Amino acid sequence: MVTGPSLPAAPIPLRVAYDHRLGGRWTSLTGGGRQWLWTGPDSGRDQVIPGGPFVDAGGLEECVPTVRGIPDHGDAWSRPWRMTDARTATVDCPDFTLTRRLTDEGGVVVADYRLRAAAGYRFVWAAHALLDLGPEARLVAPAGTLTRLYPEAAELVRPTVSDGPGAPPGDGGWPAGRPWHTAAWPEPAGLPLDRLGPDDGTAVGAVLVGCAEVRVVDGTDILTLRLDCADQPRSTALWRNLRGWPADRPYRSIGVEPMLGSVFDRSEAGAEVSDPFEGGVGVDVAVVPAGGEVNWRLTISAHRSSSAH
């Protein structure tokens, strides 16, 4: 359960729009007079082909079976989806079929997913949500959550063995040969990742391992994202780009990404032994069971308080 300020009494109804023709991307998430989804600077989204480089158009992308790695941001975002009814669409990829039903009745956005593939298929899925947030915005998650920092943070932190469970011993520098460094939220290795601004020329990727619900607080507005899935690892990825990427034309983009798995690249699975999950569920990737199907639900709701938190 998320800690931090209690939800205010005033829910804000949300409405969602999407583009099934171009990768199933969520193009709009609005409520209370605000647009939550950021629009990216890159053009050329309508010319993408499967397996091509990612086009950062903004919105919320369906990244599966990986985020970083091959194919770039997964297979689903670059393919047309076919609609089966007004709210349901399916995309066929080489190794799997993904179906999504997306509704916003009652002002709460609910996305139900079903992935079908051969038993034993290993994948990562992320709701790659890029949010339009002010410099005072914060990400609220349970204190002490194991957080994997990725190497782009190496120049910003000096991890040590005392940083938290799973932290490797070292000499005070970035752990050699490791794809990430594990420390505790909200300031893993002394880096205050819960603060989503102001822009300072940095860009950091991280995964909050086992964290299935987070809250984004931006002034009086609160956005809550929750992921439910039986018998699969759930986490939240963070991409905090404060005009630090790309090097030639940096811009601001904040990704808060509920995910199945706990790595950006599924090829990294098993790179570090650390299991905060119970019941023997794997940490790093989701695995299709004998029945050939995985089902999960993403729920997004908004509230507004009478004063900033």
Side-chain angles (χ1 to χ4, degrees), residues 236-275:
T236 300
L238 171 64
W239 171 241
R240 196 187 71 168
N241 176 23
L242 304 179
R243 297 191 182 275
W245 186 91
D248 59 337
R249 48 183 182 86
Y251 52 82
R252 174 183 171 87
S253 58
I254 306 296
V256 178
E257 308 170 23
M259 69 187 305
L260 295 180
S262 59
V263 291
F264 284 126
D265 186 345
R266 61 178 174 164
S267 69
E268 297 169 342
E272 178 175 302
V273 178
S274 177
D275 189 359

Side-chain angles (χ1 to χ4, degrees), residues 11-305:
I12 300 298
L14 292 174
R15 292 292 177 262
V16 63
Y18 39 83
D19 188 347
H20 287 143
R21 184 179 61 90
L22 292 176
R25 183 169 69 97
W26 303 28
T27 56
S28 178
L29 182 66
T30 57
R34 97 171 268 167
Q35 170 63 259
W36 280 99
L37 295 181
W38 171 84
T39 299
D42 289 352
S43 60
R45 176 58 188 266
D46 56 346
Q47 281 102 40
V48 300
I49 59 174
F54 184 62
V55 176
D56 200 2
L60 186 154
E61 302 280 8
E62 305 286 357
C63 293
V64 57
T66 195
V67 183
R68 301 182 184 182
I70 299 173
D72 186 11
H73 284 69
D75 254 328
W77 75 271
S78 59
R79 298 174 184 271
W81 295 41
R82 49 187 171 84
M83 296 184 65
T84 55
D85 62 41
R87 291 291 188 173
T88 307
T90 295
V91 60
D92 297 306
C93 296
D95 298 320
F96 63 90
T97 296
L98 179 67
T99 298
R100 180 189 71 198
R101 178 170 176 77
L102 188 54
T103 63
D104 55 17
E105 284 83 359
V108 175
V109 174
V110 177
D112 287 307
Y113 296 86
R114 180 179 67 246
L115 183 140
R116 290 176 172 165
Y121 182 68
R122 294 153 59 86
F123 69 96
V124 170
W125 165 84
H128 188 277
L130 293 171
L131 302 180
D132 188 1
L133 302 173
E136 300 300 320
R138 297 181 295 114
L139 181 63
V140 180
T145 297
L146 296 183
T147 303
R148 290 175 169 177
L149 293 172
Y150 273 70
E152 57 265 24
E155 296 301 316
L156 306 177
V157 301
R158 291 293 179 265
T160 69
V161 71
S162 63
D163 284 332
D171 60 1
W174 191 262
R178 299 282 186 135
W180 56 72
H181 171 67
T182 305
W185 185 267
E187 296 193 9
L191 181 62
L193 277 191
D194 59 326
R195 303 174 196 171
L196 303 179
D199 295 347
D200 60 7
T202 65
V204 176
V207 176
L208 285 70
V209 179
C211 182
E213 180 177 332
V214 295
R215 191 177 301 159
V216 177
V217 180
D218 190 10
T220 59
D221 288 330
I222 299 173
L223 191 72
T224 302
L225 303 94
R226 177 173 177 82
L227 178 62
D228 292 289
C229 183
D231 302 321
Q232 300 291 347
R234 298 171 295 160
S235 300
T236 300
L238 171 64
W239 171 241
R240 196 187 71 168
N241 176 23
L242 304 179
R243 297 191 182 275
W245 186 91
D248 59 337
R249 48 183 182 86
Y251 52 82
R252 174 183 171 87
S253 58
I254 306 296
V256 178
E257 308 170 23
M259 69 187 305
L260 295 180
S262 59
V263 291
F264 284 126
D265 186 345
R266 61 178 174 164
S267 69
E268 297 169 342
E272 178 175 302
V273 178
S274 177
D275 189 359
F277 295 97
E278 298 180 358
V281 178
V283 167
D284 292 335
V285 293
V287 180
V288 176
E293 183 174 299
V294 178
N295 295 275
W296 65 94
R297 169 173 285 186
L298 172 64
T299 304
I300 303 179
S301 58
H303 292 75
R304 180 169 291 161
S305 68

